[in-house]
Amino acid sequence: MTGAPRGVVALLALLITVVLTLAACGFRGRSSDDSNPNALALLVPAYSENTRAEWTAIIAGFRQQNPAVTVDLQVESWDAINDVVRTDLQSVTTTPDILNIDAYAGFAADDLLYPARDIVGPAALADLAPSFARNASIDGTQWALPLFASTRTLFYNTDLFARAGVEAPPKTWSELSDAARRIQALGGGISGYGLPLGSEESQGETSIWTFGAGGSWSDGHGITVTTPANLEGVRAMRDLATSGVTQPNPGSTDRKDVINAFVQGRIGMIEGLPPVLETIAKQNPGLRFATAPSPTKTGAAVTLGVADHLMAFRKHGNKQNAIRQFLDYFYSPAVYSTFVGAEHFIPITAGGTRELSEDPVTRTFAATLPVARFYPSGDPGWSAVQGAIRQQIGTVAQGTDPEQVLDRIARAPR
């Protein structure tokens, strides 16, 4: 998942092990039986060490109810899956019938996909969070099914807040700056705010600030970068970075590093995503923390939302019924909620949210879904702009003028 928490070193090592094991077992490059309308090929990424077992259980449950339909599962690491997809799509015989990945726009532009309405029933479509359904649409047609969500919310260390005399989590940028200054003043290697502007995923942190100024990366017709609101957000981020209230070298710090430092109790505040909860539970369960809405310029609620998607390739058009059977089964509340809960993300269906109402991730993050804003993933040009943000935005913490940085990003070839 773009924006998904793959930064923890141990998890990265695990995913590499998973993909090497799967490759050794011969899962890559298998042909899809395109002559059999009831034989489906499913290609998915590994979110955790349990992903393969979870999909295997889902397929087994589906087969009990639909014995005529077979589902051939292929699992790849996030590091490998984009290359696998590019290779597999060179031939109809190796193209998966159903794919789980983040981006769908290029496939839709090439007329390769079924519209979402053709691969899942109206009850499942109506159950999707409206903002995430819109984010899976181009010009009014929904081409993909959001799988689950990752949004951001402010995580703050309540012990450090108490020591610094900060009585409440900040709602505005000015309150954030003041709280970070007080926490930084505690000394002892404590940082006020974790600002990850390194190349790992700096488009995420940057978007929190540009959205918080009322900005956007798209005007609905094309990519927008050098808008006044975007510039205001980047300037506010630069001001925080250069005021000495963040971790050292924010321009080259990756997200995984600020998460780890927060979990260790060395940072007062970070913008966190759902698996941070599991990381805390595993690595430092005694950490005293709370969460609050992301601070913005005015205090109005907005956050960054990211979703991975399921999509179905039309190919010869003979597998629509089998695909619909499988996806209707998957999005049934009991099946869907079990998968989402095991992967520690946010459900994007009303039924899944009800099923997971007591889950810590859902309790913490479900309220962020209505105010989530998104990358313009429906625009094929976003990929190049996103890459340019990753490479360029960190320089604002090193003295480069934010307007110049946004100009360079806007000129990225796409």
Side-chain angles (χ1 to χ4, degrees):
M1 169 183 285
T2 304
R6 308 196 305 275
V8 180
V9 173
L11 182 55
L12 281 174
L14 176 62
L15 294 186
I16 292 170
T17 301
V18 169
V19 71
L20 289 175
T21 301
L22 294 176
C25 293
F27 287 109
R28 289 197 189 182
R30 289 183 300 187
S31 295
S32 168
D33 185 357
D34 212 39
S35 65
N36 183 351
N38 289 320
L40 300 180
L42 171 65
L43 174 58
V44 302
Y47 291 96
S48 71
E49 72 266 30
N50 297 320
T51 299
R52 183 173 183 82
E54 291 155 12
W55 277 114
T56 299
I58 290 168
I59 292 168
F62 171 74
R63 289 293 310 280
Q64 287 183 346
Q65 298 184 19
N66 305 272
V69 180
T70 62
V71 182
D72 185 35
L73 174 65
Q74 179 178 351
V75 184
E76 299 287 351
S77 81
W78 271 108
D79 290 335
I81 194 165
N82 286 295
D83 290 336
V84 172
V85 170
R86 279 190 288 269
T87 299
D88 286 357
L89 262 62
Q90 292 179 17
S91 169
V92 171
T93 61
T94 56
T95 295
D97 298 296
I98 302 172
L99 173 65
N100 168 200
I101 205 169
D102 47 358
Y104 67 89
F107 306 133
D110 290 339
D111 198 28
L112 299 176
L113 302 178
Y114 284 107
R117 64 178 179 270
D118 290 348
I119 56 171
V120 76
L125 282 178
D127 206 30
L128 297 172
S131 60
F132 283 81
R134 289 192 296 271
N135 188 53
S137 304
I138 301 173
D139 295 332
T141 298
Q142 185 176 338
W143 292 102
L145 299 167
L147 179 63
F148 43 47
S150 175
T151 60
R152 307 298 172 92
T153 198
L154 187 75
F155 280 67
Y156 62 98
N157 184 310
T158 55
D159 280 341
L160 295 179
F161 266 49
R163 287 174 54 194
V166 181
E167 296 182 355
K171 295 181 180 179
T172 65
W173 289 342
S174 61
E175 292 174 356
L176 173 65
S177 179
D178 180 65
R181 178 182 54 78
R182 294 188 186 192
I183 294 168
Q184 193 85 21
L186 295 174
I190 300 297
S191 300
Y193 181 83
L195 186 66
L197 300 183
S199 61
E200 179 199 10
E201 203 234 3
S202 54
Q203 80 278 6
E205 184 73 21
T206 303
S207 296
I208 292 168
W209 290 80
T210 56
F211 293 170
S216 175
W217 298 118
S218 173
D219 61 4
H221 303 286
I223 299 294
T224 55
V225 176
T226 57
T227 66
N230 285 353
L231 180 58
E232 186 173 16
V234 174
R235 281 176 172 162
M237 190 171 64
R238 183 272 316 272
D239 291 345
L240 194 72
T242 58
S243 65
V245 299
T246 71
Q247 82 286 354
N249 304 313
S252 58
T253 306
D254 287 338
R255 178 185 64 181
K256 64 180 183 294
D257 299 314
V258 299
I259 290 174
N260 288 338
F262 179 83
V263 172
Q264 294 163 14
R266 295 189 288 109
I267 290 182
M269 297 172 282
I270 63 168
E271 286 290 341
L273 57 173
V276 173
L277 294 171
E278 184 184 17
T279 302
I280 293 171
K282 288 182 176 180
Q283 296 184 13
N284 189 8
L287 182 72
R288 297 183 53 150
F289 74 97
T291 61
S294 300
T296 61
K297 177 186 175 182
T298 64
V302 66
T303 191
L304 169 66
V306 179
D308 289 344
H309 297 90
L310 287 169
M311 60 208 76
F313 289 87
R314 192 173 61 252
K315 301 199 293 186
H316 295 307
N318 62 339
K319 298 191 180 185
Q320 180 182 348
N321 290 337
I323 292 169
R324 182 164 175 163
Q325 285 178 269
F326 180 71
L327 292 177
D328 276 338
Y329 175 82
F330 174 76
Y331 278 100
S332 60
V335 175
Y336 173 74
S337 61
T338 298
F339 180 77
V340 175
E343 295 290 4
H344 304 288
F345 285 105
I346 312 168
I348 44 74
T349 69
T353 301
R354 288 192 297 269
E355 292 279 337
L356 292 169
S357 61
E358 298 304 313
D359 179 80
V361 169
T362 302
R363 287 202 310 267
T364 301
F365 285 91
T368 65
L369 296 183
V371 297
R373 299 186 63 182
F374 305 91
Y375 304 131
S377 53
D379 191 316
W382 170 244
S383 178
V385 172
Q386 177 175 257
I389 294 172
R390 288 175 176 170
Q391 296 303 316
Q392 296 285 340
I393 202 67
T395 62
V396 302
Q398 299 159 0
T400 306
D401 181 74
E403 188 169 7
Q404 293 180 8
V405 173
L406 287 181
D407 283 340
R408 292 174 190 167
I409 294 168
R411 292 196 301 268
R414 57 183 187 269

